[in-house]
Amino acid sequence: MLPFVQQVASDDHLPDAVDVVVVGGGIVGTAATYYLAKRGLKVALIEKGHIACEQSSRSWGWCRLQNRDPREMPLSLLSMRLWDSLAPEIGQDLGFRRTGLIYTTDDAAMLAGWEAWTPTAREFGVETYMLSAKEAADHIPQTRRKWLGGLHSVRDGKAEPALAAPVLAEGARALGATIHQQCAARGLDITNGRVTGVHTEKGMIRTDAILCAAGAWASTFLRRHGIRFPQASVRQTALRTKPTVNVGEVLYCPDLAMTRRLDGSYTMAISGRATLELTPQGIGFAREFMPQFIQRLKAVQLGVGASFLTGPESLSAMFGRDDRLFERNRIAAPVPNRRLVQAIMDNVRGTFPQLAGIEVDHAWGAYIDCTPDAVPVISAVDPVDGLYLAAGCSGHGFGLGPGIGYLASELITNDRPSVDPTQFRLNRLVDGSTIKVGSL
């Protein structure tokens, strides 16, 4: 667990029965728990490790509409409205700020790609403006780079990955939900095709509805019950600096992305510099992911690493029958790529002379769970009545988290959904439909 993540206390006793069990304590699971509890349901959230111990605390923290795939735009609009409302509702700061996002580039093709998204911006009313070379330099001054141009997404912003899911969990608890950490789900209890409970390492909880929000572990969890969920994890590296001078709130350029944290530090990464490791699960889903692999071949590196033998896509996860698998893997925390950490620091020092003395506080690796079309799954799961899935966020989960949790709560309670859930149904990935790969 990253040392700066806000810790959440666990409830002492596992309930015998609840209306809904949520499996997974990341941003999606905690948001769903909060909104289900807000609807008056009795909810238990179970997490094999700690709240936000994996990808939800390791993200950039961006909350954006800009450059979203059109299929995600209604959900993105909903999420931004929810981000606005969460701190006043819960009474705690999640670090959400509409600071705007600044994109700059010295790459003509990248600039053209941003401009090509402007019809989508107009369609959905996103306040975004292309920047000339001079305007880009005005927004990111005192650099050693000469920008060709850029983009300003005015109403987008950021939140704190170290705070958001923990605050949502505490908000859910205040509404009556219970939080159970170090409590792995071992499997579902199913009777006559319907969910009747979940078996955990601390005992069984009886329930009529289960939401699997298990991130990179979702496919492994569902596979044990004969459910196919095509999912692949990409390993990324990011770092957090020590507090330093302010060069901007949320900045993006071709070889650097920077997000200023509330304590004056920065989260830094390089977009597209990820590793797709060969794993047994990846081989099993190769056909579904081939269109995405072909389209994004230049954006990832291929390799074989520890994930072949350990973690959510390993041999033991794919073929093993160990019902203790999840508790034996409390936190999936791949080691950071040290060469990439050095490249990030070289890039920032080479761009900003005022950051020449910047220091790394902490670096980490993370698994980003993807679907074949890079669009999340938020869906009932056939043929098991009462089972729901919210996963496969493809690197978009933090900003979309409140909306994903909200939509999942509507599906579970059979309320009229705030956005059309058709684009997010699981069956699109397994029924032979043509896969259209979404935006990064």
Side-chain angles (χ1 to χ4, degrees):
M1 185 172 180
L2 299 179
F4 39 78
V5 177
Q6 179 172 298
Q7 295 187 21
V8 176
S10 288
D11 288 283
D12 293 333
H13 302 292
L14 202 69
D16 292 328
V18 294
D19 298 315
V20 186
V21 173
V22 177
V23 178
I27 186 74
V28 171
T30 55
T33 302
Y34 174 74
Y35 289 116
L36 286 163
K38 192 176 178 183
R39 292 170 182 272
L41 275 69
K42 187 177 181 181
V43 189
L45 171 62
I46 59 175
E47 162 58 47
K48 64 182 175 60
H50 299 280
I51 297 298
C53 64
E54 294 188 350
Q55 176 57 21
S56 291
S57 62
R58 299 162 189 261
S59 74
W60 299 1
W62 287 24
C63 304
R64 63 179 171 91
L65 297 169
Q66 180 66 40
N67 290 340
R68 291 279 189 206
D69 186 276
R71 290 169 288 184
E72 291 184 341
M73 285 303 297
L75 190 62
S76 301
L77 290 162
L78 171 63
S79 293
M80 293 299 284
R81 293 194 298 270
L82 295 171
W83 276 115
D84 280 327
S85 66
L86 282 170
E89 287 180 7
I90 297 174
Q92 295 186 53
D93 189 6
L94 292 78
F96 178 67
R97 307 285 189 272
R98 285 187 181 259
T99 58
L101 306 184
I102 301 295
Y103 297 70
T104 60
T105 186
D106 46 15
D107 183 321
M110 182 173 285
L111 193 65
W114 295 341
E115 190 161 17
W117 193 81
T118 54
T120 301
R122 288 194 296 269
E123 179 183 353
F124 291 98
V126 180
E127 190 177 359
T128 185
Y129 305 99
M130 296 300 296
L131 302 176
S132 66
K134 180 181 182 305
E135 289 169 333
D138 289 343
H139 278 285
I140 308 183
Q142 300 178 335
T143 75
R144 296 188 177 99
R145 307 279 288 272
K146 185 175 179 61
W147 308 121
L148 288 176
L151 182 148
H152 183 195
S153 182
V154 178
R155 295 285 292 158
D156 285 348
K158 61 179 183 176
E160 289 285 315
L163 294 177
V167 169
L168 281 163
E170 294 288 10
R173 194 204 311 272
L175 295 171
T178 57
I179 312 297
H180 308 277
Q181 298 165 104
Q182 299 285 297
C183 181
R186 292 177 174 172
L188 306 176
D189 193 76
I190 300 172
T191 304
N192 296 326
R194 179 168 184 82
V195 162
T196 49
V198 59
H199 297 280
T200 83
E201 65 178 285
K202 296 182 180 180
M204 180 174 166
I205 308 174
R206 290 181 288 111
T207 185
D208 292 328
I210 294 173
L211 173 65
C212 177
W217 296 91
S219 186
T220 296
F221 184 76
L222 296 175
R223 186 182 305 116
R224 296 178 170 212
H225 298 281
I227 298 161
R228 184 176 175 84
F229 171 37
Q231 184 182 39
S233 295
V234 177
R235 181 165 62 88
Q236 291 201 325
T237 292
L239 62 85
R240 184 168 177 148
T241 71
K242 294 183 179 179
T244 188
V245 297
N246 190 349
V247 296
E249 292 293 330
V250 187
L251 309 177
Y252 177 97
C253 60
D255 54 13
L256 188 66
M258 302 171 57
T259 314
R260 190 165 179 83
R261 308 266 65 107
L262 294 179
D263 67 353
S265 65
Y266 277 98
T267 297
M268 296 182 176
I270 301 176
S271 179
R273 291 287 295 275
T275 301
L276 178 62
E277 294 181 340
L278 184 67
T279 65
Q281 180 172 294
I283 294 170
F285 292 137
R287 180 181 61 82
E288 288 89 345
F289 278 91
M290 190 57 65
Q292 184 173 153
F293 175 73
I294 293 171
Q295 180 171 320
R296 299 180 177 176
L297 181 61
K298 295 181 180 180
V300 296
Q301 296 177 334
L302 294 176
V304 178
S307 59
F308 196 94
L309 298 175
T310 63
E313 299 190 17
S314 63
L315 279 170
S316 58
M318 187 74 175
F319 300 111
R321 291 293 180 266
D322 179 9
D323 66 358
R324 308 296 196 272
L325 173 71
F326 302 107
E327 58 225 63
R328 296 188 202 280
N329 292 269
R330 295 289 182 194
I331 301 174
V335 297
N337 183 323
R338 292 297 171 184
R339 286 183 294 180
L340 189 51
V341 169
Q342 188 59 54
I344 293 169
M345 297 305 289
D346 290 344
N347 291 350
V348 71
R349 289 169 177 150
T351 300
F352 297 97
Q354 60 272 51
L355 297 181
I358 197 168
E359 297 179 76
V360 176
D361 179 77
H362 203 85
W364 59 84
Y367 288 122
I368 294 177
D369 67 304
C370 300
T371 61
D373 59 6
V375 173
V377 170
I378 315 159
S379 174
V381 177
D382 297 330
V384 182
D385 195 12
L387 178 60
Y388 299 84
L389 173 64
C393 298
S394 306
H396 309 162
F398 184 82
L400 291 176
I404 294 174
Y406 193 90
L407 178 57
S409 74
E410 292 177 322
L411 296 179
I412 292 168
T413 56
N414 201 30
D415 287 347
R416 182 177 181 180
S418 299
V419 300
D420 184 358
T422 304
Q423 303 282 9
F424 311 114
R425 71 194 189 283
L426 173 60
N427 284 347
R428 77 182 193 272
L429 303 178
V430 295
D431 64 3
S433 299
T434 300
I435 292 174
K436 177 185 176 184
V437 181
S439 304
L440 285 169

